[in-house]
């Protein structure tokens, strides 16, 4: 693997990362390559159930930069287009090609990967990070004026401290209430996602209706009333995965957690209203599916990601909500890791830390909210109830398929134009732009004595436009 070349911090910190998921392991890699000493604490392990992860161009170009295109394509599968079909009948509605010329302009590809955590774990540990699996945390302790280092107490009784603590522990974060100072209120968001993985495509290849999906390079989406299903080959087409989006109005009971560890019986997920071939495909995933619920977090848009001491910071789903199974669920956490790692690679003095952490939130918060809204809007577009809006969507897709042109009107065009704009974002460029325009400019006036403790507010104000796209 080719290590990402980047600046190395003049001041190396001890950093604890609570959570060894996508964002936590990606951050461990970026911080370790920047010269910091990183320890990751993960309550589970790499054997936890998981589905495929979409790598839109803004994500895949990061991984390409980290390991090279040749290595990436050994573990990822390219998507060349998206066929749209009726969920109940399987009949065709339209087709959206992810054109090579358009993808080239974004600097990446649209890929799907399954073993992303193993890849990120290997990157992080090769770079020097220590990753402890099966290591649950029981409590988080902010620093004080006399002892500024934050610490954690583990379930096994150990107490670990560091210069900085990062909460990368997902939607049900233990770190987040410490940063907020209170327990966050949540309520059901009206969407439950069921994920299945077919370990071997052998049975699909023997099925005349399913063979095209197992052997092809497309990411098909079946659209129904308040429900949709998307799928894609994984592991060099040796496996297959799917998500079923179930909205409140489809009659199924909503429930479960925001985690990806909640297993439910396959037959309880209402698959009887799927087309016969889809029912066969879903059952090939086995007797259980992974269930996760989308919850609404009342204070996410306004809340700080950095605590009052300037030493504890949130990343990934612990900082901002994501849409279960969305196209950008993984990419936002990795973009967070790139930006935070690139900023802390510039660290020369303790007094810079609150500024860098605050800049990280300024650079990332609006974009995370924007992509989350785009994912939810796309999920709703794929699950319209019968009526004029659904009819207009289907007619637009059919016209595009017949004429071979871009979708030319309505919500469908707007939705995918919006998603395409998300693709061009480069997290490294965002961090570099901030440093050139703000970090270097303000470095002298913000400079503090090198020996001063790292204290102060983690919510410094910046009069700057938030970078959304």
């Amino acid at each position: 693997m080719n290590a990402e070349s980047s600046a190395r911090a003049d001041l190396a910190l001890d950093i604890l990362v609570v959570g060894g998921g996508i964002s936590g392991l990606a951050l461990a890699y970026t911080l370790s390559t920047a010269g910091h000493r990183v320890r990751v604490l993960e309550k589970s392990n790499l054997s936890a159930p998981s589905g495929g992860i979409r790598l839109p161009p803004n994500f895949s170009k990061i991984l390409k930069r980290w390991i090279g295109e040749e290595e990436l394509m050994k573990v990822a599968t390219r998507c060349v287009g998206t066929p749209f079909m009726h969920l109940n009948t399987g009949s065709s509605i339209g087709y959206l090609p992810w054109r090579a010329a358009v993808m080239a302009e974004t600097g990446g590809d649209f890929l799907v990967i399954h073993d992303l955590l193993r890849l990120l774990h290997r990157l992080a540990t090769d770079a020097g990070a220590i990753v402890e699996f099966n290591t649950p945390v029981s409590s988080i302790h902010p620093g004080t004026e006399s002892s500024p280092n934050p610490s954690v107490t583990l379930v096994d009784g150990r107490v670990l401290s560091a210069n900085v603590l990062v909460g990368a522990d997902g939607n049900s974060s233990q770190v987040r209430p410490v940063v907020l100072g209170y327990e966050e209120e949540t309520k059901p968001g009206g969407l439950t996602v069921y994920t299945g993985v077919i370990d071997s495509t052998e049975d699909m290849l023997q099925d005349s209706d399913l063979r095209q999906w197992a052997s092809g390079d497309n990411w098909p989406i079946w659209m129904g009333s308040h429900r949709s299903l998307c799928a894609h080959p994984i592991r060099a087409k040796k496996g297959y995965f799917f998500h079923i989006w179930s909205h409140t109005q489809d009659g199924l009971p909503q429930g479960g957690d925001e985690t990806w560890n909640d297993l439910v019986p396959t037959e309880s997920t209402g698959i009887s209203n799927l087309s016969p071939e889809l029912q066969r495909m879903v059952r090939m995933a086995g007797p259980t599916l992974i269930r996760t619920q989308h919850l609404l977090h009342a204070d996410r848009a306004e809340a700080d990601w950095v605590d009052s001491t300037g030493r504890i910071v949130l990343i990934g789903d612990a900082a901002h909500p994501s849409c279960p199974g969305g196209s950008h669920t993984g990419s936002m956490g990795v973009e967070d890791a790139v930006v935070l790692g690139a900023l802390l690679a510039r660290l020369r003095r303790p007094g810079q830390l609150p500024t860098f952490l605050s800049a990280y939130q300024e650079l990332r918060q609006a974009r995370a909210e924007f992509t989350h809204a785009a994912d939810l809007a796309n999920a709703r577009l794929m699950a319209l109830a019968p009526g004029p809006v659904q009819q207009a969507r289907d007619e637009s897709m059919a016209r595009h398929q017949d004429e071979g042109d871009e979708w030319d009107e309505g919500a469908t065009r707007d939705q995918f134009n919006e998603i395409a704009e998300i693709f061009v974002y480069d997290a490294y460029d965002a961090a570099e732009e901030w440093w050139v325009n703000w970090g270097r400019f303000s470095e002298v006036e913000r400079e503090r004595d090198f020996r001063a403790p790292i204290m102060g507010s983690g919510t410094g104000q910046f009069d700057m436009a938030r970078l959304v796209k």
Side-chain angles (χ1 to χ4, degrees), residues 17 23-24 27 166-170 313-320 333 336-337 340 360:
V17 180
S23 60
L27 182 65
V166 181
D169 47 345
V313 60
L314 303 173
I315 188 174
D317 287 349
H320 45 77
D336 288 350
L340 185 53
Y360 151 70

Side-chain angles (χ1 to χ4, degrees), residues 175-364:
V175 182
R176 185 172 180 80
V178 176
V179 172
L180 292 178
Y182 58 87
E183 290 289 338
E184 187 180 32
E185 292 185 7
T186 62
K187 61 181 181 180
L191 172 65
T192 300
V193 176
Y194 301 94
T195 301
V197 175
I198 301 171
D199 292 326
S200 171
T201 56
E202 183 177 347
D203 289 341
M204 290 185 68
L205 291 172
Q206 298 302 314
D207 189 305
S208 60
D209 296 315
L210 301 176
R211 184 181 304 123
Q212 60 176 321
W213 309 125
S215 60
D217 294 316
N218 285 314
W219 160 25
I221 297 179
W222 289 267
M223 303 184 296
S225 177
H226 307 302
R227 196 164 229 229
S228 63
L229 185 153
C230 82
H232 201 287
I234 53 175
R235 302 195 208 103
K237 301 181 183 178
K238 295 178 181 178
Y240 206 73
F241 96 98
F242 58 84
H243 291 310
I244 303 173
W245 280 274
S246 175
H247 299 260
T248 303
Q249 299 92 332
D250 72 3
L252 278 181
Q254 301 292 299
D257 300 320
E258 289 178 285
T259 69
W260 292 98
N261 299 316
D262 184 18
L263 299 179
V264 297
T266 300
E267 297 299 331
S268 72
T269 61
I271 64 174
S272 60
N273 65 345
L274 306 182
S275 64
E277 61 268 25
L278 288 182
Q279 292 184 45
R280 295 197 300 274
M281 184 185 77
V282 170
R283 290 188 174 103
M284 289 177 187
T288 60
L289 302 179
I290 306 169
R291 178 179 64 176
T292 189
Q293 182 181 198
H294 175 238
L295 295 181
L296 299 178
H297 298 256
D299 301 324
R300 286 280 171 110
E302 297 81 16
D304 289 324
W305 296 359
V306 184
D307 83 323
S308 60
T309 72
R311 296 283 203 109
I312 303 178
V313 60
L314 303 173
I315 188 174
D317 287 349
H320 45 77
S322 64
C323 175
S327 293
H328 307 289
T329 300
S331 65
M332 290 301 101
V334 173
E335 287 183 2
D336 288 350
V338 168
V339 170
L340 185 53
L343 291 174
L344 293 186
R346 304 281 187 180
L347 192 67
R348 298 175 58 195
R349 289 170 298 281
Q352 293 175 301
L353 183 60
T355 298
F356 285 176
L357 295 185
S358 188
Y360 151 70
Q361 181 172 353
E362 284 285 344
L363 288 167
R364 293 297 306 152

Side-chain angles (χ1 to χ4, degrees), residues 80-82 95-100 102-103 218 400 404-407:
V80 301
T82 300
Y95 182 80
L96 173 68
W98 299 106
R99 302 183 189 280
V102 175
M103 292 294 101
N218 285 314
H400 167 65
D405 298 325
E406 297 298 329
W407 287 330

Side-chain angles (χ1 to χ4, degrees), residues 67-112:
I67 66 174
E69 184 173 11
E70 183 178 352
E71 289 297 315
L72 179 58
M73 293 313 301
K74 290 179 181 179
V75 293
T77 305
R78 180 176 281 110
C79 174
V80 301
T82 300
F84 296 92
M85 291 148 292
H86 287 289
L87 184 69
N88 307 110
T89 66
S91 59
S92 175
I93 298 174
Y95 182 80
L96 173 68
W98 299 106
R99 302 183 189 280
V102 175
M103 292 294 101
E105 290 183 9
T106 70
D109 293 295
F110 208 134
L111 308 175
V112 173

